[in-house]
Amino acid sequence: MALVPLKRRRRVARSPPAEPPGPGRFPSVVLCLVERRMGASRRAFLTQLARAKGFRVDVAYSAAVTHVVSEQNSGAEVAQWLAQQRGACGAGGDPALLDIGWFTESMRAGRPVEIEPRHRLRVTVPAAPHGGLMASYACQRRTPLLHSNQALTEALEILAEEARFSGSEGRSLAFTRAASVLKALPGPLGTLGELGPLPGIGEHSRRVIQDVLEDGVSAEVERVKLSERYQTMKLFTRIFGVGVKTASRWYQEGLRTLADLQVQSTRLTRQQQAGLRHYEDLSVPVGRGEAEAVSRAVQAALQRVLPGASVTLAGGFRRGKQHGHDVDLLLTHPEAGREAGLLSQAMSWLESQGLILYQHSQESSFVLCEGPGAPGARDCMDRFERCFSILRLEAQRGQRGPGAARGWKAVRVDLVVAPISQFPFALLGWTGSQHFERELRRFARHERKMVLNSHALYDTQQDLSLPAASEEEIFQHLGLEYVPPLERNA
Ligand code: UTP
Ligand code: MN
């Protein structure tokens, strides 16, 4: 290596100047260069070159970055780099991972050239923990919240939703499965060929993936997004208390807007009326801070009515999501039986504080079945209670959206009471994701001849239910490697 005077060497090796990123001449392109193997001085040189040609080059990764360029790195290395950057800045983003060839051609052309498959880094088919191909059940895989194939999974999930809106559950599940597999890939998919023998990705999904890889969008998905039916179904099913069936009936009757529903409000259930009344607030995602504030308010109520009772934040927030459509809370008490009557007392207290905008409670209809007439079969399952509510949450610092000026916001909260013996099952069942749960139950049934739900795990061959004191024990009973909540985002 040529000797470079220390002083100069230090200057050359400095990171490129962190200029305030302007839009550049090409607003849809934001570059970020990976220093690894490229080296700091070459990176600084290439940064300056690109900026001189009018490109926006960011020094630090953020969700705004659209093109990640590296030199002499493998796809897996850059995918790993990307995961680290995302973890460090808490941002998602779905940049193309490109080799230096794309950069050189673009500099020569004086504009960002079209990305072709040869420009993309190849990310090889992931191995399962034990070296085989990707596991076929989602509950055998680790699926982080932030992943590398956002554009693809969003497209597939829109088709899944559209299929659900049309009552085609099977088709919906096929798209959901395909999306879920892509979420578990360690890096961005470059070409359809890399999918190889991956399980659960059907013909139709492959077509959609190919379109998005080649054109950036799928014409079919764009058509769905613009269709009146999809938009109306989306609007209606967002209303608390409105499912696909009701929304579909309204659509067929020619109803299209919330105003159309208001005219017919006598036909709505009490729950739907509340949903409509608070529509604006409820369609703004609940932030993590808000979910924690709700959880504290409920904990305060429990402290009043039954000290020792606990509340646990489940649902998407337990999986690490920063936003959700509701707050899922699990209530329990460490002494069996003490939880009886807890929910109604806690709700009464919250009501007396003026915090309840809507509530309706439901007794569990669940009865543990260990064969007809088995002693202890009923345990305390029939006391399983649940409350669907809308709570009034005082404005949090920095809150935006419709409630900010008013000083409070309506938030959807589900409260579930689980006796301590069922708590691990309830926690597992209410943490989600919905697809992860579905796959756990499918795995239990087909691979283990067991029945899993939010109350219990039942072994049909031994004809007994298997107790568990933690989620880990449930995975053990199922012979599955433990998947922590943050990796259940299937
Ligand atoms: P959610 O529908 O609240 O989903 O159900 P989520 O993952 O928290 O997503 P957002 O952020 O609110 O939109 C949470 C979990 O509770 C289970 C679901 O299967 C999911 O795993 N659940 C929900 C039930 O078991 N029963 C229900 O009636 C509702
Ligand atoms: Mn939720």
Side-chain angles (χ1 to χ4, degrees):
M1 192 173 93
L3 279 180
V4 182
L6 193 60
K7 224 169 148 192
R8 207 183 124 222
R9 197 194 287 174
R10 204 180 290 135
R11 198 180 55 225
V12 173
R14 206 182 47 192
S15 310
E19 284 172 14
R25 276 174 60 211
F26 317 104
S28 61
V29 174
V30 179
L31 306 185
C32 187
L33 307 183
V34 179
E35 187 167 304
R36 189 163 185 264
R37 299 232 166 92
M38 183 183 282
S41 49
R42 180 157 161 80
R43 180 181 187 226
F45 167 76
L46 295 178
T47 299
Q48 270 162 15
L49 173 71
R51 282 180 179 163
K53 299 218 180 240
F55 285 78
R56 170 173 160 188
V57 187
D58 284 10
V59 174
Y61 177 79
S62 73
V65 170
T66 57
H67 295 54
V68 167
V69 176
S70 77
E71 195 166 29
Q72 291 172 28
N73 283 286
S74 72
E77 284 167 336
V78 178
Q80 194 185 10
W81 172 90
L82 181 62
Q84 279 164 359
Q85 304 300 310
R86 283 178 170 148
C89 68
D94 189 19
L97 301 192
L98 304 170
D99 187 52
I100 193 73
W102 176 86
F103 183 92
T104 326
E105 286 174 39
S106 297
M107 293 309 119
R108 209 177 297 136
R111 59 171 174 80
V113 297
E114 200 77 38
I115 298 176
E116 289 176 29
R118 69 193 157 84
H119 294 131
R120 292 185 192 267
L121 295 178
R122 293 182 64 87
V123 178
T124 44
V125 174
H130 304 299
L133 287 175
M134 185 187 272
S136 53
Y137 290 90
C139 56
Q140 296 171 300
R141 308 193 284 256
R142 291 170 178 262
T143 315
L145 185 61
L146 298 176
H147 61 86
S148 314
N149 291 286
Q150 212 76 40
L152 296 174
T153 58
E154 269 168 30
L156 292 165
E157 283 176 341
I158 284 171
L159 295 184
E161 192 175 36
E162 157 65 14
R164 199 168 58 83
F165 288 164
S166 322
S168 313
E169 290 299 334
R171 219 156 50 83
S172 176
L173 190 56
F175 289 125
T176 302
R177 283 226 175 96
S180 175
V181 167
L182 297 182
K183 287 179 189 175
L185 291 180
L189 188 71
T191 65
L192 199 57
E194 291 166 24
L195 276 180
L198 280 190
I201 302 191
E203 268 313 299
H204 196 158
S205 294
R206 281 175 195 264
R207 258 195 333 268
V208 175
I209 292 170
Q210 178 147 31
D211 289 348
V212 176
L213 285 179
E214 282 176 4
D215 310 330
V217 289
S218 142
E220 182 184 5
V221 172
E222 295 308 299
R223 240 185 350 263
V224 165
K225 281 204 281 194
L226 291 175
S227 82
E228 188 179 27
R229 185 182 153 83
Y230 176 79
Q231 288 182 3
T232 311
M233 289 296 288
K234 196 133 177 98
L235 179 78
F236 288 169
T237 53
R238 261 203 211 120
I239 304 171
F240 175 41
V242 179
V244 167
K245 263 195 187 149
T246 307
S248 194
R249 193 177 67 238
W250 289 343
Y251 183 80
Q252 270 154 29
E253 288 171 12
L255 306 179
R256 293 292 181 271
T257 64
L258 298 183
D260 292 346
L261 296 180
Q262 254 133 13
V263 172
Q264 312 221 355
S265 73
T266 50
R267 282 180 52 197
L268 305 179
T269 63
R270 195 174 68 88
Q271 184 182 16
Q272 292 162 351
Q273 285 174 10
L276 205 51
R277 198 159 51 241
H278 299 291
Y279 190 87
E280 208 185 352
D281 276 13
L282 299 187
S283 49
V284 179
V286 184
R288 173 173 286 277
E290 292 172 329
E292 281 162 0
V294 167
S295 184
R296 281 195 300 274
V298 172
Q299 184 65 68
L302 296 185
Q303 188 56 34
R304 285 252 153 191
V305 302
L306 183 64
S310 68
V311 57
T312 305
L313 184 56
F317 291 109
R318 187 160 179 257
R319 301 196 310 274
K321 280 176 71 173
Q322 294 302 316
H323 293 96
H325 94 283
D326 66 357
V327 182
D328 305 292
L329 298 177
L330 284 183
L331 278 47
T332 193
H333 190 284
E335 278 171 58
R338 295 289 301 279
E339 76 288 345
L342 174 63
L343 186 56
S344 59
Q345 287 175 42
M347 293 310 283
S348 298
W349 191 79
L350 291 168
E351 179 96 66
S352 73
Q353 303 299 299
L355 296 178
I356 306 286
L357 297 168
Y358 171 87
Q359 64 164 311
H360 88 255
S361 297
Q362 192 178 285
E363 288 283 316
S364 167
S365 50
F366 181 81
V367 175
L368 179 61
C369 179
E370 282 184 33
R378 291 185 159 253
D379 192 12
C380 44
M381 303 294 180
D382 49 350
R383 277 182 253 141
F384 211 88
E385 285 179 287
R386 173 175 176 184
C387 183
F388 306 86
S389 72
I390 302 178
L391 257 55
R392 177 191 156 114
L393 179 67
E394 295 309 312
Q396 306 292 297
R397 225 182 311 148
Q399 180 183 315
R400 286 187 300 261
R406 198 197 304 134
W408 60 271
K409 178 186 176 188
V411 176
R412 269 276 299 118
V413 183
D414 276 348
L415 299 107
V416 179
V417 186
I420 191 70
S421 64
Q422 297 170 30
F423 185 76
F425 297 99
L427 184 60
L428 180 59
W430 277 83
T431 296
S433 68
Q434 209 188 6
H435 187 60
F436 188 87
E437 301 300 329
R438 189 167 33 215
E439 290 281 280
L440 262 179
R441 295 193 296 264
R442 190 167 71 93
F443 177 87
R445 203 166 50 242
H446 292 296
E447 306 298 324
R448 301 288 183 257
K449 309 274 180 280
M450 293 181 186
V451 180
L452 173 69
N453 58 35
S454 293
H455 299 269
L457 177 63
Y458 181 70
D459 184 330
T460 62
Q461 286 174 319
Q462 299 187 62
D463 200 17
L464 53 84
S465 52
L466 305 170
S470 63
E471 286 182 318
E472 283 88 342
E473 281 186 34
I474 305 174
F475 280 86
Q476 274 169 20
H477 284 317
L478 289 167
L480 278 174
E481 207 168 300
Y482 179 66
V483 180
L486 294 180
E487 297 184 292
R488 295 182 203 158
N489 289 288

